[in-house]
Amino acid sequence: MESPASPALTFRDATDADVDALVGLVESAYRGDASRAGWTTEADILDGQRTDPEGVLEVIKSPDSRLLTVERDGEIVACCQLEHRGEYAYFGMFAVRPSLQGAGLGKVIIAEAERQARQTWGVSEMHMTVISVREDLIAWYERRGYRRTGRTSPFPYGDERFGVPRRDDLRFELLVKPLV
């Protein structure tokens, strides 16, 4: 397992030139056999893609979104989406290279994302949605101060842009954290 502590991480907004690398990163963190090297894999609940170049480019181009890209030694090792939604920011598309997962890098990135959302937009909360059957992932976010709201939204069955479900009980649960 690689160490996230050194060398230093660089945070920057993604550009059009990053699209292919970011799609590859997100896919490697969540889908297929490569994702099994980390603990965030969704390979047992979803087949197909997690994102595509059009979806990543849409986030990069949106005036209310940022795709925060994390580099080490000039190489992209993680990313996350921040979207300004009025009083709160939405956190999504979070991916860490599977070989770096479990070594503390995610904690550093989410803390920086929260700091940047507060500083850039002055928001008081961060919201995210997580597939409700991902109990290990939800527990990780709870340890970072996020709370389950009990509010859910349906999984987009039939829309393969979000993957091909391997089970019929998927839904998204809203998690919220005050940013004070």
Side-chain angles (χ1 to χ4, degrees):
M1 182 179 304
E2 300 175 48
S3 169
S6 63
L9 300 173
T10 302
F11 293 83
R12 63 172 178 81
D13 287 337
T15 68
D16 296 9
D18 297 319
V19 169
D20 289 341
L22 291 168
V23 169
L25 171 67
V26 172
E27 292 299 309
S28 74
Y30 291 97
R31 297 290 198 272
D33 287 337
S35 70
R36 295 182 192 281
W39 68 275
T40 61
T41 184
E42 294 172 345
D44 294 328
I45 60 173
L46 291 159
D47 291 321
Q49 70 180 30
R50 177 77 191 278
T51 192
D52 55 31
E54 295 77 21
V56 170
L57 194 57
E58 185 178 321
V59 173
I60 291 171
K61 296 292 190 191
S62 171
D64 294 323
S65 282
R66 301 172 62 196
L67 189 51
L68 192 60
T69 301
V70 185
E71 291 180 328
R72 190 172 69 184
D73 283 340
E75 201 176 333
I76 296 173
V77 296
C79 68
C80 64
Q81 172 191 9
L82 295 173
E83 184 176 326
H84 187 208
R85 295 185 180 176
E87 297 296 312
Y88 67 92
Y90 178 80
F91 179 84
M93 206 179 291
F94 187 27
V96 174
R97 179 184 293 169
S99 62
L100 290 172
Q101 293 177 17
L105 186 59
K107 295 175 199 175
V108 172
I109 295 166
I110 199 166
E112 178 62 13
E114 292 165 355
R115 187 194 70 76
Q116 288 196 26
R118 277 191 312 268
Q119 180 180 316
T120 304
W121 297 312
V123 293
S124 58
E125 286 185 337
M126 186 79 86
H127 290 200
M128 70 173 70
T129 54
V130 179
I131 297 173
S132 61
V133 298
R134 298 291 318 277
E135 294 293 339
D136 54 344
L137 185 58
I138 291 170
W140 187 87
Y141 285 121
E142 287 179 315
R143 291 191 297 275
R144 314 266 111 42
Y146 287 82
R147 294 293 166 248
R148 297 179 96 153
T149 64
R151 298 189 338 229
T152 62
S153 55
F155 186 87
Y157 285 93
D159 188 343
E160 292 190 7
R161 291 177 304 153
F162 298 94
V164 180
R166 299 180 72 170
R167 45 194 292 178
D168 63 4
D169 62 343
L170 302 181
R171 63 187 187 285
F172 294 107
E173 182 169 353
L174 175 66
L175 306 181
V176 175
K177 178 180 180 177
L179 300 179
V180 289

